[in-house]
Amino acid sequence: MMYGYEWDTSSTLAFATSILPILGIGLLVTLQAAAVGYAIALVFGLVLALLRRSRIRAISWTVACFTEFVRDTPLLVQLFFLYYVLPDFGIVLPAFMTGALALGLQYSAYTSEVYRGGIDAIQRGQWEAATALNLSRFQTYRDIVIPQMIPRIVPSLGNYLVSMLKETPVLSVVTVLDMLGLANMIGERTFDYLVPLSMVGLIFLPMTLICSALIHLVERALPKSGIPLR
């Protein structure tokens, strides 16, 4: 018997079994939020990385300031801003989309730096060859830079996917009913927080391990010399 909690194995297992389908619904929301947020981070991060390399100093400087601001402010503050402040300007988003957008914006600042590092790692001779072939800037990125960059940045991008997956419980503070949000609701109604919160932790562990394993498989499958895009 623990202080304030009487342990009964049979009743605990029955309770855990009964709430598992509910947490399963929360798991689906968690995966959806991570998938949408990660898609935003990948696309917007690439846009930021390209804009930061702009020859127009006003654009590159503005993007650099935006990236640093997003990276250096807490995700929770950004989430509250999008959820509570934007409606004052007439922009009202569903809680799920607000959460996914907050995740995407936060991690786009990190992925942009990953993209920028991958682009900077391309040898100077590759750029000179593109110029000699009279390729446009778009063709250079599409046919030369991005195919060589992808294998180098997959590990870092994969790490951010795992990190984002673990940050999705933050969305419960804006009423997104992910696993943590549902576990808290169960705890409030049953006065038993130990079982639902422990189950959330146990579900996250294999989920992140599987995600990490898939990232390693993708990394090993990609050719080190780059991948053809067409």
Side-chain angles (χ1 to χ4, degrees):
M1 176 178 176
M2 294 181 292
Y3 180 76
Y5 192 92
E6 184 174 353
W7 184 268
D8 186 332
T9 303
S10 59
S11 61
T12 300
L13 289 176
F15 179 47
T17 303
S18 66
I19 66 175
L20 187 59
I22 301 175
L23 294 181
I25 297 173
L27 172 60
L28 181 60
V29 174
T30 295
L31 293 174
Q32 290 173 339
V36 175
Y38 193 62
I40 294 173
L42 289 179
V43 175
F44 193 51
L46 181 58
V47 172
L48 291 176
L50 296 178
L51 288 177
R52 191 161 181 183
R53 295 179 61 85
S54 172
R55 296 186 179 95
I56 304 174
R57 292 182 62 86
I59 294 178
S60 61
W61 185 84
T62 302
V63 171
C65 290
F66 172 81
T67 302
E68 287 302 318
F69 175 80
V70 173
R71 289 174 60 192
D72 297 336
T73 52
L75 172 61
L76 191 59
V77 173
Q78 297 170 17
L79 181 59
F80 279 165
F81 184 89
L82 293 175
Y83 192 71
Y84 292 109
V85 178
L86 286 187
D88 293 340
F89 298 92
I91 304 174
V92 181
L93 298 174
F96 176 85
M97 283 307 303
T98 302
L101 181 60
L103 286 172
L105 288 177
Q106 169 81 193
Y107 278 87
S108 66
Y110 295 104
T111 58
S112 69
E113 292 300 299
V114 174
Y115 286 129
R116 194 163 68 94
I119 294 172
D120 290 342
I122 302 299
Q123 296 178 359
R124 184 177 178 180
Q126 301 291 321
W127 299 94
E128 294 173 348
T131 302
L133 293 172
N134 199 28
L135 297 180
S136 67
R137 194 170 180 84
F138 173 75
Q139 290 173 320
T140 301
Y141 277 105
R142 184 192 63 185
D143 299 332
I144 297 178
V145 176
I146 293 180
Q148 295 183 64
M149 176 185 71
I150 290 177
R152 301 176 181 179
I153 65 176
V154 163
S156 297
L157 292 179
N159 288 337
Y160 285 129
L161 172 60
V162 174
S163 180
M164 179 184 290
L165 193 60
K166 293 187 293 184
E167 290 227 52
T168 52
V170 176
L171 306 188
S172 62
V173 300
V174 291
T175 71
V176 176
L177 293 179
D178 66 333
M179 280 196 298
L180 182 61
L182 290 174
N184 279 327
M185 289 181 60
I186 294 170
E188 290 171 357
R189 295 181 181 182
T190 63
F191 303 102
D192 185 350
Y193 287 91
L194 176 60
V195 174
L197 292 179
S198 297
M199 291 179 66
V200 170
L202 291 174
I203 292 172
F204 263 107
L205 179 59
M207 188 165 58
T208 53
L209 289 175
I210 292 172
C211 186
S212 298
L214 291 175
I215 293 166
H216 287 305
L217 288 176
V218 172
E219 181 184 356
R220 293 175 60 184
L222 290 175
K224 300 301 181 183
S225 59
I227 60 174
L229 292 186
R230 58 173 186 161

